[in-house]
Amino acid sequence: MIKKVDVQIRPNCEDDVEPALISVENALDTIVAMIQPVLEIELVPVREALGRILAKDLLSPVNVPNHTNAAMDGYAVRASDLLQHGLTVIGTAWAGRPFEGSIKQGQCVRIMTGSVMPEHSDTVVMQEQVEKIDDMIYLAPGQRPGQHVRYAGEDLATGSIALSGKQRLFPAELGITASLGISELPVLKKPRVAFFSTGDELRSIAEPLAIGEVYDSNRYTLHGMLVRAGVELIDYGVVPDDPALLQETFERASANADLVITSAGASVGDADYVHQILKKIGEVGFWKIAMKPGRPLSVGKIGPAIFFGLPGNPVSVMVTFYQFVLPALRKLSGEKNISSFRCTARVTNRLKKKPGRAEFQRGVLSLSDDGALTVKNTGEQGSGILSSMNRANCFIVLPTDSEGANVGDIVTVEPFPGLI
Ligand code: AMP
Ligand code: MG
């Protein structure tokens, strides 16, 4: 069942605290519980698997590395010879061209990194630790038996789980797959996400702007966030506040997509049609969430499609997307891990906040000279100030009860993606 919260008054992002707000955590739990992951599997070439969700555990069909080999350039010796005074060099082992013979007592083989260890050798002495005179080498003291050797299967043993099912595939996973000699991976089908902007004041970027009109920027941030989320996109453009057109677009979008996102018109009164239509054709709750920015949010279903009606203000769109839609998309995509990474940092400017709503302030996270993570906010935190997202590299997450933070306090931060 979808939680429905009746709204008595017109909510506005800048209002003070009022009762009947849902907490961010409750809202997220309800959203996640509504979603059934996509289960269809397709086979794709390794490179195309980047960013996709692996459908099932990938077992290693081979040992990686496939032979015990040298981890350093140097000499392959027998551990029992480490205290010998002088060893005879009887040949060379190259990466890809093993030394064919075996090593007897008092002998060694010149060896390059990655070369197969010659028979009866078990230790590598780095070339820097050796004095070579003609075909004899003399070892520096302090060598350890078995040093600088990589064992067959030490990275991945035959039959072991190389990659876990339901994980997202990043560059390392493509490399691991290739290291196993595998050319295709079973991945889950991408969910389809339809989105559009609503509002009579919206203009497309190629059009001139009259007084009171704004360019539709939300569809561009949404485009970016959805591409990064790895879903298939259907962009329905800008739909004016026209009941017939809106209903038609909602119906088309929900018939063609697993999830539908709109921005704006989530405030009662401003776009009454949206609510009337959603009531008529779907099961959609209008939520007031105890958060800032991004309080009004519609969540529910239109037929089998999940529906998110995000707020209109540009920062609210991004905050509600990252806090609610992204975890929903991860679950829908079949991904095991649906939460974003968070850590803590020391505050370097005062963060103002009233208790009653969780806040997602835009922050700049950096590493201070003493090695600790520090964070300051980007200044003015209005929900229309999209440049605050540009200046930020993290959200500062201040919980509902927080009364802000003083310089030196520790706060939770959610870094924007780092290495990708
Ligand atoms: P609303 O939720 O419709 O009341 O909109 C809240 C604010 O967001 C208003 O200032 C709108 O003009 C603005 N807004 C709504 N949609 C967009 C959009 N697609 N791009 C940029 N700003 C928008
Ligand atoms: Mg509007």
Side-chain angles (χ1 to χ4, degrees), residues 94-134:
W94 306 89
R97 258 191 294 148
F99 175 76
E100 303 289 352
S102 71
I103 296 181
K104 298 194 184 66
Q105 197 183 353
Q107 296 182 334
C108 69
V109 161
R110 172 84 174 116
I111 196 162
M112 312 305 160
T113 304
S115 312
V116 174
M117 291 293 285
E119 199 181 7
H120 298 137
S121 70
D122 53 20
T123 301
V124 171
V125 179
M126 286 164 68
Q127 61 194 33
E128 294 84 351
Q129 300 274 308
V130 162
E131 192 185 348
K132 184 163 186 293
I133 301 174
D134 301 329

Short mmCIF file of all heavy atoms in Angstrom, two decimals, residues 94-134:
data_model
loop_
_atom_site.label_atom_id
_atom_site.label_comp_id
_atom_site.label_asym_id
_atom_site.label_seq_id
_atom_site.Cartn_x
_atom_site.Cartn_y
_atom_site.Cartn_z
N TRP A 94 61.66 -15.27 -19.54
CA TRP A 94 61.00 -14.03 -19.97
C TRP A 94 59.49 -14.17 -19.74
O TRP A 94 58.97 -15.27 -19.74
CB TRP A 94 61.24 -13.78 -21.47
CG TRP A 94 62.68 -13.77 -21.87
CD1 TRP A 94 63.44 -14.84 -22.26
CD2 TRP A 94 63.53 -12.63 -21.93
NE1 TRP A 94 64.71 -14.45 -22.56
CE2 TRP A 94 64.80 -13.07 -22.37
CE3 TRP A 94 63.37 -11.26 -21.65
CZ2 TRP A 94 65.89 -12.22 -22.53
CZ3 TRP A 94 64.44 -10.42 -21.84
CH2 TRP A 94 65.69 -10.90 -22.26
N ALA A 95 58.81 -13.04 -19.59
CA ALA A 95 57.34 -13.08 -19.53
C ALA A 95 56.85 -13.64 -20.86
O ALA A 95 57.22 -13.14 -21.92
CB ALA A 95 56.78 -11.68 -19.29
N GLY A 96 56.08 -14.70 -20.81
CA GLY A 96 55.56 -15.30 -22.03
C GLY A 96 56.52 -16.31 -22.66
O GLY A 96 56.15 -17.01 -23.61
N ARG A 97 57.77 -16.39 -22.17
CA ARG A 97 58.74 -17.39 -22.70
C ARG A 97 59.44 -18.05 -21.53
O ARG A 97 60.50 -17.59 -21.07
CB ARG A 97 59.77 -16.67 -23.59
CG ARG A 97 59.50 -16.84 -25.07
CD ARG A 97 60.65 -16.36 -25.91
NE ARG A 97 60.87 -14.93 -25.79
CZ ARG A 97 62.05 -14.35 -25.87
NH1 ARG A 97 63.15 -15.07 -26.04
NH2 ARG A 97 62.17 -13.03 -25.76
N PRO A 98 58.86 -19.09 -20.98
CA PRO A 98 59.40 -19.71 -19.77
C PRO A 98 60.79 -20.33 -20.00
O PRO A 98 61.13 -20.67 -21.14
CB PRO A 98 58.40 -20.80 -19.43
CG PRO A 98 57.21 -20.58 -20.30
CD PRO A 98 57.67 -19.79 -21.48
N PHE A 99 61.54 -20.49 -18.93
CA PHE A 99 62.80 -21.23 -18.97
C PHE A 99 62.44 -22.70 -18.96
O PHE A 99 61.66 -23.16 -18.12
CB PHE A 99 63.66 -20.85 -17.75
CG PHE A 99 64.92 -21.64 -17.63
CD1 PHE A 99 66.01 -21.36 -18.46
CD2 PHE A 99 65.03 -22.67 -16.69
CE1 PHE A 99 67.19 -22.10 -18.35
CE2 PHE A 99 66.20 -23.41 -16.59
CZ PHE A 99 67.27 -23.12 -17.42
N GLU A 100 63.00 -23.46 -19.91
CA GLU A 100 62.52 -24.84 -20.08
C GLU A 100 63.07 -25.83 -19.05
O GLU A 100 62.38 -26.75 -18.65
CB GLU A 100 62.88 -25.35 -21.50
CG GLU A 100 62.34 -24.50 -22.64
CD GLU A 100 60.83 -24.60 -22.81
OE1 GLU A 100 60.21 -25.44 -22.13
OE2 GLU A 100 60.26 -23.80 -23.59
N GLY A 101 64.30 -25.60 -18.60
CA GLY A 101 64.94 -26.60 -17.73
C GLY A 101 64.50 -26.48 -16.28
O GLY A 101 63.54 -25.77 -15.97
N SER A 102 65.19 -27.20 -15.40
CA SER A 102 64.92 -27.07 -13.97
C SER A 102 66.21 -26.63 -13.27
O SER A 102 67.29 -26.75 -13.83
CB SER A 102 64.36 -28.36 -13.41
OG SER A 102 65.37 -29.33 -13.37
N ILE A 103 66.04 -26.11 -12.07
CA ILE A 103 67.17 -25.54 -11.34
C ILE A 103 67.71 -26.55 -10.32
O ILE A 103 66.93 -27.06 -9.51
CB ILE A 103 66.75 -24.23 -10.64
CG1 ILE A 103 66.34 -23.19 -11.69
CG2 ILE A 103 67.88 -23.69 -9.78
CD1 ILE A 103 65.93 -21.86 -11.08
N LYS A 104 69.00 -26.80 -10.41
CA LYS A 104 69.62 -27.72 -9.44
C LYS A 104 70.27 -26.90 -8.35
O LYS A 104 70.38 -25.67 -8.46
CB LYS A 104 70.66 -28.58 -10.15
CG LYS A 104 70.10 -29.47 -11.24
CD LYS A 104 71.14 -30.51 -11.64
CE LYS A 104 70.63 -31.35 -12.81
NZ LYS A 104 70.47 -30.55 -14.04
N GLN A 105 70.71 -27.58 -7.30
CA GLN A 105 71.38 -26.90 -6.19
C GLN A 105 72.53 -26.04 -6.70
O GLN A 105 73.27 -26.47 -7.59
CB GLN A 105 71.90 -27.94 -5.21
CG GLN A 105 72.23 -27.32 -3.88
CD GLN A 105 72.82 -28.34 -2.90
OE1 GLN A 105 72.87 -29.53 -3.18
NE2 GLN A 105 73.28 -27.84 -1.77
N GLY A 106 72.65 -24.81 -6.23
CA GLY A 106 73.75 -23.92 -6.61
C GLY A 106 73.49 -23.18 -7.92
O GLY A 106 74.34 -22.42 -8.38
N GLN A 107 72.31 -23.36 -8.48
CA GLN A 107 72.00 -22.69 -9.76
C GLN A 107 70.87 -21.66 -9.57
O GLN A 107 70.11 -21.72 -8.62
CB GLN A 107 71.57 -23.72 -10.81
CG GLN A 107 72.66 -24.70 -11.17
CD GLN A 107 72.19 -25.67 -12.24
OE1 GLN A 107 71.01 -25.96 -12.37
NE2 GLN A 107 73.17 -26.17 -13.02
N CYS A 108 70.77 -20.77 -10.56
CA CYS A 108 69.65 -19.82 -10.57
C CYS A 108 69.35 -19.43 -12.01
O CYS A 108 70.11 -19.78 -12.92
CB CYS A 108 70.00 -18.58 -9.74
SG CYS A 108 71.27 -17.58 -10.50
N VAL A 109 68.23 -18.74 -12.21
CA VAL A 109 67.83 -18.31 -13.56
C VAL A 109 67.48 -16.81 -13.50
O VAL A 109 66.78 -16.36 -12.58
CB VAL A 109 66.62 -19.14 -14.04
CG1 VAL A 109 65.88 -18.47 -15.19
CG2 VAL A 109 67.06 -20.53 -14.48
N ARG A 110 68.02 -16.06 -14.45
CA ARG A 110 67.63 -14.65 -14.59
C ARG A 110 66.13 -14.63 -14.91
O ARG A 110 65.70 -15.39 -15.81
CB ARG A 110 68.45 -14.05 -15.75
CG ARG A 110 68.04 -12.66 -16.16
CD ARG A 110 68.70 -11.63 -15.29
NE ARG A 110 68.42 -10.28 -15.77
CZ ARG A 110 67.72 -9.40 -15.06
NH1 ARG A 110 67.21 -9.71 -13.88
NH2 ARG A 110 67.54 -8.20 -15.54
N ILE A 111 65.33 -13.83 -14.20
CA ILE A 111 63.87 -13.90 -14.42
C ILE A 111 63.27 -12.49 -14.47
O ILE A 111 63.71 -11.59 -13.77
CB ILE A 111 63.19 -14.77 -13.32
CG1 ILE A 111 61.76 -15.16 -13.75
CG2 ILE A 111 63.15 -14.05 -11.95
CD1 ILE A 111 61.18 -16.33 -12.96
N MET A 112 62.28 -12.30 -15.37
CA MET A 112 61.59 -11.01 -15.53
C MET A 112 60.21 -11.11 -14.85
O MET A 112 59.63 -12.20 -14.79
CB MET A 112 61.38 -10.66 -17.01
CG MET A 112 62.60 -10.82 -17.89
SD MET A 112 64.01 -9.88 -17.29
CE MET A 112 65.34 -10.72 -18.13
N THR A 113 59.71 -9.97 -14.43
CA THR A 113 58.39 -9.93 -13.78
C THR A 113 57.34 -10.61 -14.67
O THR A 113 57.28 -10.33 -15.87
CB THR A 113 57.96 -8.46 -13.54
OG1 THR A 113 58.98 -7.83 -12.77
CG2 THR A 113 56.63 -8.36 -12.81
N GLY A 114 56.56 -11.49 -14.08
CA GLY A 114 55.49 -12.16 -14.82
C GLY A 114 55.93 -13.48 -15.44
O GLY A 114 55.09 -14.23 -15.93
N SER A 115 57.25 -13.77 -15.41
CA SER A 115 57.71 -15.03 -16.01
C SER A 115 57.34 -16.19 -15.09
O SER A 115 57.36 -16.05 -13.86
CB SER A 115 59.23 -15.05 -16.16
OG SER A 115 59.67 -13.87 -16.75
N VAL A 116 57.05 -17.34 -15.72
CA VAL A 116 56.75 -18.56 -14.96
C VAL A 116 58.00 -18.94 -14.16
O VAL A 116 59.12 -18.90 -14.68
CB VAL A 116 56.39 -19.70 -15.93
CG1 VAL A 116 56.21 -21.02 -15.19
CG2 VAL A 116 55.12 -19.34 -16.69
N MET A 117 57.82 -19.31 -12.90
CA MET A 117 58.96 -19.73 -12.07
C MET A 117 59.50 -21.05 -12.62
O MET A 117 58.73 -22.01 -12.80
CB MET A 117 58.50 -19.93 -10.62
CG MET A 117 58.13 -18.65 -9.89
SD MET A 117 59.54 -17.56 -9.61
CE MET A 117 60.36 -18.42 -8.26
N PRO A 118 60.80 -21.14 -12.87
CA PRO A 118 61.37 -22.39 -13.38
C PRO A 118 61.20 -23.53 -12.36
O PRO A 118 61.09 -23.26 -11.16
CB PRO A 118 62.85 -22.06 -13.57
CG PRO A 118 62.93 -20.57 -13.63
CD PRO A 118 61.82 -20.07 -12.77
N GLU A 119 61.18 -24.72 -12.86
CA GLU A 119 60.99 -25.89 -12.01
C GLU A 119 62.04 -25.90 -10.89
O GLU A 119 63.22 -25.64 -11.15
CB GLU A 119 61.12 -27.17 -12.86
CG GLU A 119 60.50 -28.37 -12.20
CD GLU A 119 60.66 -29.64 -13.06
OE1 GLU A 119 61.36 -29.58 -14.10
OE2 GLU A 119 60.08 -30.65 -12.69
N HIS A 120 61.60 -26.20 -9.68
CA HIS A 120 62.43 -26.29 -8.46
C HIS A 120 62.89 -24.94 -7.93
O HIS A 120 63.61 -24.90 -6.94
CB HIS A 120 63.65 -27.22 -8.66
CG HIS A 120 63.26 -28.62 -8.95
ND1 HIS A 120 63.88 -29.39 -9.92
CD2 HIS A 120 62.26 -29.38 -8.43
CE1 HIS A 120 63.28 -30.56 -9.99
NE2 HIS A 120 62.29 -30.58 -9.09
N SER A 121 62.50 -23.85 -8.55
CA SER A 121 62.79 -22.53 -7.94
C SER A 121 61.55 -22.13 -7.15
O SER A 121 60.44 -22.55 -7.48
CB SER A 121 63.12 -21.48 -8.99
OG SER A 121 61.96 -21.16 -9.73
N ASP A 122 61.73 -21.36 -6.08
CA ASP A 122 60.59 -20.97 -5.25
C ASP A 122 60.73 -19.56 -4.68
O ASP A 122 59.91 -19.11 -3.88
CB ASP A 122 60.41 -21.97 -4.10
CG ASP A 122 61.69 -22.17 -3.30
OD1 ASP A 122 62.58 -21.29 -3.37
OD2 ASP A 122 61.82 -23.21 -2.63
N THR A 123 61.83 -18.88 -5.04
CA THR A 123 62.13 -17.58 -4.43
C THR A 123 62.73 -16.68 -5.50
O THR A 123 63.45 -17.17 -6.38
CB THR A 123 63.15 -17.77 -3.28
OG1 THR A 123 62.58 -18.67 -2.32
CG2 THR A 123 63.53 -16.45 -2.62
N VAL A 124 62.40 -15.37 -5.44
CA VAL A 124 63.02 -14.44 -6.39
C VAL A 124 63.86 -13.43 -5.59
O VAL A 124 63.38 -12.88 -4.60
CB VAL A 124 61.96 -13.70 -7.24
CG1 VAL A 124 62.59 -12.57 -8.08
CG2 VAL A 124 61.23 -14.69 -8.16
N VAL A 125 65.09 -13.23 -6.03
CA VAL A 125 65.94 -12.21 -5.41
C VAL A 125 65.98 -11.04 -6.39
O VAL A 125 66.29 -11.22 -7.57
CB VAL A 125 67.35 -12.75 -5.14
CG1 VAL A 125 68.22 -11.66 -4.51
CG2 VAL A 125 67.28 -13.97 -4.22
N MET A 126 65.60 -9.85 -5.91
CA MET A 126 65.57 -8.66 -6.79
C MET A 126 66.95 -8.40 -7.37
O MET A 126 67.96 -8.58 -6.68
CB MET A 126 65.16 -7.43 -5.98
CG MET A 126 63.71 -7.37 -5.60
SD MET A 126 63.47 -6.15 -4.28
CE MET A 126 63.82 -4.64 -5.17
N GLN A 127 66.96 -7.91 -8.59
CA GLN A 127 68.27 -7.68 -9.23
C GLN A 127 69.12 -6.66 -8.47
O GLN A 127 70.34 -6.77 -8.46
CB GLN A 127 68.11 -7.30 -10.70
CG GLN A 127 67.34 -6.03 -10.94
CD GLN A 127 66.94 -5.88 -12.40
OE1 GLN A 127 66.67 -6.87 -13.08
NE2 GLN A 127 66.92 -4.66 -12.88
N GLU A 128 68.45 -5.74 -7.78
CA GLU A 128 69.19 -4.73 -6.99
C GLU A 128 69.89 -5.35 -5.79
O GLU A 128 70.75 -4.70 -5.17
CB GLU A 128 68.22 -3.64 -6.49
CG GLU A 128 67.58 -2.78 -7.57
CD GLU A 128 66.34 -3.42 -8.20
OE1 GLU A 128 66.04 -4.62 -7.93
OE2 GLU A 128 65.66 -2.73 -8.97
N GLN A 129 69.50 -6.59 -5.42
CA GLN A 129 70.06 -7.24 -4.22
C GLN A 129 71.14 -8.25 -4.60
O GLN A 129 71.45 -9.15 -3.81
CB GLN A 129 68.93 -7.98 -3.49
CG GLN A 129 67.80 -7.10 -3.05
CD GLN A 129 68.08 -6.48 -1.70
OE1 GLN A 129 68.41 -7.16 -0.75
NE2 GLN A 129 68.01 -5.16 -1.63
N VAL A 130 71.65 -8.11 -5.81
CA VAL A 130 72.56 -9.14 -6.34
C VAL A 130 73.79 -8.47 -6.92
O VAL A 130 73.70 -7.41 -7.54
CB VAL A 130 71.82 -9.90 -7.47
CG1 VAL A 130 72.76 -10.65 -8.37
CG2 VAL A 130 70.79 -10.85 -6.86
N GLU A 131 74.94 -9.08 -6.68
CA GLU A 131 76.14 -8.63 -7.40
C GLU A 131 76.45 -9.69 -8.44
O GLU A 131 76.52 -10.89 -8.11
CB GLU A 131 77.30 -8.47 -6.43
CG GLU A 131 78.45 -7.74 -7.08
CD GLU A 131 79.68 -7.68 -6.18
OE1 GLU A 131 79.55 -8.00 -4.99
OE2 GLU A 131 80.74 -7.32 -6.69
N LYS A 132 76.60 -9.26 -9.69
CA LYS A 132 76.81 -10.25 -10.75
C LYS A 132 78.24 -10.15 -11.26
O LYS A 132 78.70 -9.05 -11.62
CB LYS A 132 75.81 -9.99 -11.88
CG LYS A 132 75.88 -11.03 -12.98
CD LYS A 132 74.63 -11.00 -13.87
CE LYS A 132 74.63 -12.14 -14.88
NZ LYS A 132 75.66 -12.08 -15.90
N ILE A 133 78.91 -11.26 -11.27
CA ILE A 133 80.27 -11.30 -11.85
C ILE A 133 80.30 -12.47 -12.81
O ILE A 133 80.12 -13.63 -12.40
CB ILE A 133 81.35 -11.47 -10.75
CG1 ILE A 133 81.26 -10.30 -9.74
CG2 ILE A 133 82.74 -11.55 -11.37
CD1 ILE A 133 82.17 -10.44 -8.55
N ASP A 134 80.47 -12.15 -14.09
CA ASP A 134 80.38 -13.16 -15.17
C ASP A 134 79.06 -13.92 -15.04
O ASP A 134 78.03 -13.28 -15.00
CB ASP A 134 81.60 -14.09 -15.13
CG ASP A 134 82.90 -13.30 -15.30
OD1 ASP A 134 82.86 -12.27 -16.00
OD2 ASP A 134 83.91 -13.68 -14.69
#
